[in-house]
Amino acid sequence: SPSPEQLMHAVGVVASCFGGHPVFPSLHSEGPTTHQYPYIVGVSFLMAALNCGAMGCIGVAAFGGRTSPEVTLNLPTHLAPVVLPVVVLSSATKFPLLFNTLALVFENDLTLPNTVFRFCLLLCLLSMALAVPDFMLIVSVTGCVAVFLISIALPSLFYLRLAPASPHSRLLHSGLVGGSCGVAVVGLGLACWSLLQERLKS
């Protein structure tokens, strides 16, 4: 049976794959075809599911039990000049989109110029990447902390603050906030514990 660390890693990785929907409100408000918004959301999640499922099946079919948590680690070393730029490009485009909504929220309340705040946010992400040299671990932390907080906890808090809610709806959204914060704290704690164990072994 999987250990708690492996379970939280799996939750974080899956959340990072399907947690990009904070960008959807911008598409809804700025897109020329807002009436197609439900269709766009459905197709986006379907494509993400097909892409992630296909990559998992290909990895298991090609490498079997030797499949690494990050399937690119199983590829031959002579493909590294091709694979590494793709991985970096994927991360460099996904994380700014994910954190863009958070940046917009804080930029409206802070007196700092937009570029200064985004530069500080980029430095935080870079520091986390340097401190945690394990790609799967950093994706797991991003999924557990950033995705659960930005995609679930904050929208539920905003809904409770701005919209008139029935007792049932208020209880549901309060549970989502509490559960998301709990997953974020547990995921971050287990990630730090895993990193500490690796450092002690080395």
Side-chain angles (χ1 to χ4, degrees), residues 122-140:
L122 181 61
L123 283 181
C124 292
L125 293 174
L126 179 61
S127 301
M128 186 171 64
L130 292 175
V132 185
D134 187 333
F135 184 76
M136 189 194 72
L137 190 58
I138 196 170
V139 170
S140 173

PDB file of all heavy atoms in Angstrom, residues 122-140:
ATOM      1  N   LEU A 122       8.395  35.631  -9.037  1.00  0.00           N
ATOM      2  CA  LEU A 122       9.275  34.771  -9.821  1.00  0.00           C
ATOM      3  C   LEU A 122      10.493  34.351  -9.012  1.00  0.00           C
ATOM      4  O   LEU A 122      10.940  33.200  -9.092  1.00  0.00           O
ATOM      5  CB  LEU A 122       9.708  35.507 -11.092  1.00  0.00           C
ATOM      6  CG  LEU A 122      10.629  34.744 -12.045  1.00  0.00           C
ATOM      7  CD1 LEU A 122       9.936  33.489 -12.554  1.00  0.00           C
ATOM      8  CD2 LEU A 122      11.051  35.634 -13.205  1.00  0.00           C
ATOM      9  N   LEU A 123      11.035  35.261  -8.206  1.00  0.00           N
ATOM     10  CA  LEU A 123      12.173  34.923  -7.354  1.00  0.00           C
ATOM     11  C   LEU A 123      11.798  33.855  -6.326  1.00  0.00           C
ATOM     12  O   LEU A 123      12.599  32.964  -6.024  1.00  0.00           O
ATOM     13  CB  LEU A 123      12.702  36.172  -6.646  1.00  0.00           C
ATOM     14  CG  LEU A 123      13.554  37.130  -7.468  1.00  0.00           C
ATOM     15  CD1 LEU A 123      14.015  38.298  -6.615  1.00  0.00           C
ATOM     16  CD2 LEU A 123      14.753  36.404  -8.074  1.00  0.00           C
ATOM     17  N   CYS A 124      10.594  33.949  -5.785  1.00  0.00           N
ATOM     18  CA  CYS A 124      10.133  32.926  -4.836  1.00  0.00           C
ATOM     19  C   CYS A 124      10.055  31.556  -5.501  1.00  0.00           C
ATOM     20  O   CYS A 124      10.483  30.539  -4.924  1.00  0.00           O
ATOM     21  CB  CYS A 124       8.778  33.311  -4.264  1.00  0.00           C
ATOM     22  SG  CYS A 124       8.807  34.759  -3.188  1.00  0.00           S
ATOM     23  N   LEU A 125       9.508  31.504  -6.711  1.00  0.00           N
ATOM     24  CA  LEU A 125       9.422  30.238  -7.431  1.00  0.00           C
ATOM     25  C   LEU A 125      10.806  29.691  -7.767  1.00  0.00           C
ATOM     26  O   LEU A 125      11.070  28.490  -7.645  1.00  0.00           O
ATOM     27  CB  LEU A 125       8.606  30.421  -8.718  1.00  0.00           C
ATOM     28  CG  LEU A 125       7.124  30.728  -8.542  1.00  0.00           C
ATOM     29  CD1 LEU A 125       6.486  31.020  -9.886  1.00  0.00           C
ATOM     30  CD2 LEU A 125       6.423  29.576  -7.863  1.00  0.00           C
ATOM     31  N   LEU A 126      11.722  30.600  -8.170  1.00  0.00           N
ATOM     32  CA  LEU A 126      13.083  30.169  -8.488  1.00  0.00           C
ATOM     33  C   LEU A 126      13.795  29.645  -7.244  1.00  0.00           C
ATOM     34  O   LEU A 126      14.490  28.626  -7.299  1.00  0.00           O
ATOM     35  CB  LEU A 126      13.864  31.341  -9.093  1.00  0.00           C
ATOM     36  CG  LEU A 126      15.327  31.064  -9.458  1.00  0.00           C
ATOM     37  CD1 LEU A 126      15.407  29.959 -10.496  1.00  0.00           C
ATOM     38  CD2 LEU A 126      15.995  32.331  -9.964  1.00  0.00           C
ATOM     39  N   SER A 127      13.602  30.316  -6.113  1.00  0.00           N
ATOM     40  CA  SER A 127      14.220  29.866  -4.867  1.00  0.00           C
ATOM     41  C   SER A 127      13.696  28.495  -4.465  1.00  0.00           C
ATOM     42  O   SER A 127      14.454  27.633  -4.000  1.00  0.00           O
ATOM     43  CB  SER A 127      13.956  30.873  -3.747  1.00  0.00           C
ATOM     44  OG  SER A 127      14.470  32.148  -4.087  1.00  0.00           O
ATOM     45  N   MET A 128      12.386  28.273  -4.657  1.00  0.00           N
ATOM     46  CA  MET A 128      11.810  26.973  -4.324  1.00  0.00           C
ATOM     47  C   MET A 128      12.374  25.890  -5.238  1.00  0.00           C
ATOM     48  O   MET A 128      12.669  24.781  -4.798  1.00  0.00           O
ATOM     49  CB  MET A 128      10.287  27.018  -4.448  1.00  0.00           C
ATOM     50  CG  MET A 128       9.594  25.747  -3.991  1.00  0.00           C
ATOM     51  SD  MET A 128       7.800  25.902  -3.890  1.00  0.00           S
ATOM     52  CE  MET A 128       7.378  26.184  -5.598  1.00  0.00           C
ATOM     53  N   ALA A 129      12.559  26.222  -6.521  1.00  0.00           N
ATOM     54  CA  ALA A 129      13.112  25.246  -7.456  1.00  0.00           C
ATOM     55  C   ALA A 129      14.556  24.898  -7.114  1.00  0.00           C
ATOM     56  O   ALA A 129      14.978  23.743  -7.234  1.00  0.00           O
ATOM     57  CB  ALA A 129      13.019  25.775  -8.883  1.00  0.00           C
ATOM     58  N   LEU A 130      15.328  25.889  -6.678  1.00  0.00           N
ATOM     59  CA  LEU A 130      16.718  25.633  -6.312  1.00  0.00           C
ATOM     60  C   LEU A 130      16.824  24.866  -4.996  1.00  0.00           C
ATOM     61  O   LEU A 130      17.715  24.041  -4.817  1.00  0.00           O
ATOM     62  CB  LEU A 130      17.481  26.958  -6.202  1.00  0.00           C
ATOM     63  CG  LEU A 130      17.686  27.714  -7.515  1.00  0.00           C
ATOM     64  CD1 LEU A 130      18.338  29.056  -7.250  1.00  0.00           C
ATOM     65  CD2 LEU A 130      18.515  26.891  -8.492  1.00  0.00           C
ATOM     66  N   ALA A 131      15.913  25.159  -4.062  1.00  0.00           N
ATOM     67  CA  ALA A 131      15.955  24.479  -2.762  1.00  0.00           C
ATOM     68  C   ALA A 131      15.454  23.048  -2.847  1.00  0.00           C
ATOM     69  O   ALA A 131      15.849  22.202  -2.045  1.00  0.00           O
ATOM     70  CB  ALA A 131      15.132  25.260  -1.745  1.00  0.00           C
ATOM     71  N   VAL A 132      14.589  22.771  -3.819  1.00  0.00           N
ATOM     72  CA  VAL A 132      14.017  21.427  -3.977  1.00  0.00           C
ATOM     73  C   VAL A 132      14.393  20.916  -5.362  1.00  0.00           C
ATOM     74  O   VAL A 132      13.653  21.124  -6.326  1.00  0.00           O
ATOM     75  CB  VAL A 132      12.483  21.449  -3.805  1.00  0.00           C
ATOM     76  CG1 VAL A 132      11.926  20.031  -3.842  1.00  0.00           C
ATOM     77  CG2 VAL A 132      12.089  22.149  -2.522  1.00  0.00           C
ATOM     78  N   PRO A 133      15.547  20.266  -5.501  1.00  0.00           N
ATOM     79  CA  PRO A 133      16.001  19.840  -6.826  1.00  0.00           C
ATOM     80  C   PRO A 133      15.334  18.566  -7.338  1.00  0.00           C
ATOM     81  O   PRO A 133      15.891  17.875  -8.166  1.00  0.00           O
ATOM     82  CB  PRO A 133      17.510  19.629  -6.606  1.00  0.00           C
ATOM     83  CG  PRO A 133      17.613  19.222  -5.182  1.00  0.00           C
ATOM     84  CD  PRO A 133      16.525  19.956  -4.446  1.00  0.00           C
ATOM     85  N   ASP A 134      14.177  18.234  -6.815  1.00  0.00           N
ATOM     86  CA  ASP A 134      13.424  17.050  -7.241  1.00  0.00           C
ATOM     87  C   ASP A 134      12.186  17.535  -7.986  1.00  0.00           C
ATOM     88  O   ASP A 134      11.306  18.167  -7.397  1.00  0.00           O
ATOM     89  CB  ASP A 134      13.037  16.208  -6.025  1.00  0.00           C
ATOM     90  CG  ASP A 134      12.393  14.885  -6.419  1.00  0.00           C
ATOM     91  OD1 ASP A 134      11.800  14.815  -7.510  1.00  0.00           O
ATOM     92  OD2 ASP A 134      12.490  13.923  -5.642  1.00  0.00           O
ATOM     93  N   PHE A 135      12.115  17.240  -9.302  1.00  0.00           N
ATOM     94  CA  PHE A 135      11.032  17.792 -10.121  1.00  0.00           C
ATOM     95  C   PHE A 135       9.676  17.311  -9.634  1.00  0.00           C
ATOM     96  O   PHE A 135       8.720  18.087  -9.549  1.00  0.00           O
ATOM     97  CB  PHE A 135      11.252  17.408 -11.588  1.00  0.00           C
ATOM     98  CG  PHE A 135      10.241  18.012 -12.514  1.00  0.00           C
ATOM     99  CD1 PHE A 135      10.318  19.349 -12.865  1.00  0.00           C
ATOM    100  CD2 PHE A 135       9.212  17.252 -13.028  1.00  0.00           C
ATOM    101  CE1 PHE A 135       9.386  19.905 -13.715  1.00  0.00           C
ATOM    102  CE2 PHE A 135       8.273  17.803 -13.876  1.00  0.00           C
ATOM    103  CZ  PHE A 135       8.361  19.130 -14.234  1.00  0.00           C
ATOM    104  N   MET A 136       9.555  16.000  -9.330  1.00  0.00           N
ATOM    105  CA  MET A 136       8.267  15.482  -8.885  1.00  0.00           C
ATOM    106  C   MET A 136       7.851  16.109  -7.562  1.00  0.00           C
ATOM    107  O   MET A 136       6.677  16.419  -7.340  1.00  0.00           O
ATOM    108  CB  MET A 136       8.316  13.968  -8.734  1.00  0.00           C
ATOM    109  CG  MET A 136       6.941  13.342  -8.489  1.00  0.00           C
ATOM    110  SD  MET A 136       6.993  11.643  -7.931  1.00  0.00           S
ATOM    111  CE  MET A 136       7.580  11.827  -6.267  1.00  0.00           C
ATOM    112  N   LEU A 137       8.828  16.336  -6.681  1.00  0.00           N
ATOM    113  CA  LEU A 137       8.510  16.905  -5.381  1.00  0.00           C
ATOM    114  C   LEU A 137       8.031  18.346  -5.515  1.00  0.00           C
ATOM    115  O   LEU A 137       7.065  18.755  -4.864  1.00  0.00           O
ATOM    116  CB  LEU A 137       9.736  16.843  -4.466  1.00  0.00           C
ATOM    117  CG  LEU A 137       9.521  17.187  -2.991  1.00  0.00           C
ATOM    118  CD1 LEU A 137       8.470  16.271  -2.373  1.00  0.00           C
ATOM    119  CD2 LEU A 137      10.828  17.089  -2.227  1.00  0.00           C
ATOM    120  N   ILE A 138       8.670  19.115  -6.388  1.00  0.00           N
ATOM    121  CA  ILE A 138       8.259  20.505  -6.539  1.00  0.00           C
ATOM    122  C   ILE A 138       6.910  20.607  -7.242  1.00  0.00           C
ATOM    123  O   ILE A 138       6.090  21.477  -6.928  1.00  0.00           O
ATOM    124  CB  ILE A 138       9.339  21.320  -7.288  1.00  0.00           C
ATOM    125  CG1 ILE A 138       9.087  22.816  -7.098  1.00  0.00           C
ATOM    126  CG2 ILE A 138       9.363  21.010  -8.762  1.00  0.00           C
ATOM    127  CD1 ILE A 138      10.210  23.682  -7.598  1.00  0.00           C
ATOM    128  N   VAL A 139       6.634  19.690  -8.173  1.00  0.00           N
ATOM    129  CA  VAL A 139       5.309  19.659  -8.799  1.00  0.00           C
ATOM    130  C   VAL A 139       4.254  19.269  -7.776  1.00  0.00           C
ATOM    131  O   VAL A 139       3.147  19.821  -7.747  1.00  0.00           O
ATOM    132  CB  VAL A 139       5.302  18.688  -9.999  1.00  0.00           C
ATOM    133  CG1 VAL A 139       3.885  18.463 -10.507  1.00  0.00           C
ATOM    134  CG2 VAL A 139       6.173  19.234 -11.119  1.00  0.00           C
ATOM    135  N   SER A 140       4.594  18.331  -6.892  1.00  0.00           N
ATOM    136  CA  SER A 140       3.669  17.915  -5.847  1.00  0.00           C
ATOM    137  C   SER A 140       3.375  19.055  -4.879  1.00  0.00           C
ATOM    138  O   SER A 140       2.221  19.283  -4.498  1.00  0.00           O
ATOM    139  CB  SER A 140       4.246  16.712  -5.097  1.00  0.00           C
ATOM    140  OG  SER A 140       3.449  16.381  -3.983  1.00  0.00           O
TER     141      SER A 140
END
